[in-house]
Amino acid sequence: MSADDERFKEVSFVEGLNLIVASTTASSADTDSRNSAGKSSLIELIHFLLGSRATNTALAMNKALRHITFSLEMDWPGLSSPLSVRRSGQRAGFVTLNEDVTGTDDGAIFPRTGAVELPVERWTQLIERDLFGLRGDHPGVRGRVLLSFLARLQRADPYFLPPVRPGSRLQPRLPAGPGLAARRRVQATGRPQGDACPAEESGR
């Protein structure tokens, strides 16, 4: 991962698990802060390049950083060389790929070659299709949620989340309908409203 601004250092990852930690020295103490080392910013930028929403609070949307183009090289199914994706805050609704991986499922008669600019929504669809094998309709399953299990970023919760939870901001969406309120009560309590637990029924 890199940027066209020398203030951002290039970061390389290896196959398997990658842990991002702050550097220490021989004089570092256990009480020294490891904050402001750029760990969370790095994960946030990875998500930005992989199609996260460009909200006003996103790092890449900061007024001082919008002009910077961030890049990520990644392995991609069917390609012999890495696929490069670029995105900036100035054109946050689009990504640029160094090679067209859309195939012919977007209406094109023949696959295109060379660099291509795509809407972010289309980019997330390609991630779902090629990286997670999600084709056609897949209600309740989104590529962005699946990515959150692999590159974990959570600022709202003060502690590490269980590995099976994507985050408090990414809760399952319940379909709308007459029984929506009842289903929400079941989800929150674990039992339908009005049902008493055995201890309550026996008076204990």
Side-chain angles (χ1 to χ4, degrees):
M1 177 177 167
S2 61
D4 60 358
D5 188 307
E6 61 182 11
R7 293 175 296 176
F8 287 84
K9 299 179 181 179
E10 184 173 334
V11 179
S12 299
F13 299 96
V14 297
E15 184 176 353
L17 177 66
N18 288 264
L19 300 178
I20 303 172
V21 298
S23 59
T24 59
T25 64
S27 60
S28 298
D30 292 338
T31 56
D32 288 347
S33 172
R34 300 294 186 266
N35 295 328
S36 301
K39 303 184 298 296
S40 296
S41 297
L42 176 59
I43 299 298
E44 181 177 338
L45 289 172
I46 290 175
H47 276 285
F48 179 72
L49 287 163
L50 294 178
S52 67
R53 289 184 298 172
T55 63
N56 292 333
T57 58
L59 178 64
M61 299 302 295
N62 185 289
K63 185 177 180 180
L65 304 177
R66 287 181 186 174
H67 67 283
I68 299 175
T69 298
F70 297 95
S71 304
L72 178 67
E73 288 190 350
M74 54 193 296
D75 294 333
W76 195 266
L79 296 184
S80 58
S81 57
L83 177 70
S84 173
V85 53
R86 292 179 294 160
R87 189 182 182 190
S88 72
Q90 285 183 334
R91 288 181 54 79
F94 298 87
V95 299
T96 299
L97 307 179
N98 68 326
E99 188 166 342
D100 187 1
V101 294
T102 59
T104 58
D105 61 355
D106 61 348
I109 299 177
F110 301 103
R112 292 180 292 268
T113 59
V116 60
E117 184 178 74
L118 299 174
V120 170
E121 182 179 0
R122 178 60 176 145
W123 172 228
T124 58
Q125 292 172 351
L126 294 175
I127 290 175
E128 291 178 348
R129 185 196 71 183
D130 292 354
L131 299 188
F132 295 107
L134 298 175
R135 295 175 178 270
D137 295 332
H138 39 83
V141 181
R142 292 177 294 156
R144 287 294 316 149
V145 174
L146 296 175
L147 283 171
S148 71
F149 288 104
L150 305 176
R152 303 184 65 79
L153 174 64
Q154 184 65 25
R155 291 177 173 175
D157 295 328
Y159 308 108
F160 288 108
L161 293 170
V164 296
R165 278 189 56 199
S168 60
R169 294 182 234 171
L170 294 172
Q171 297 301 324
R173 293 182 177 179
L174 293 173
L180 177 59
R183 288 195 295 273
R184 283 177 173 163
R185 287 194 294 271
V186 171
Q187 184 185 49
T189 64
R191 64 180 189 274
Q193 188 181 36
D195 288 3
C197 67
E200 292 170 341
E201 291 176 343
S202 63
R204 295 195 299 272

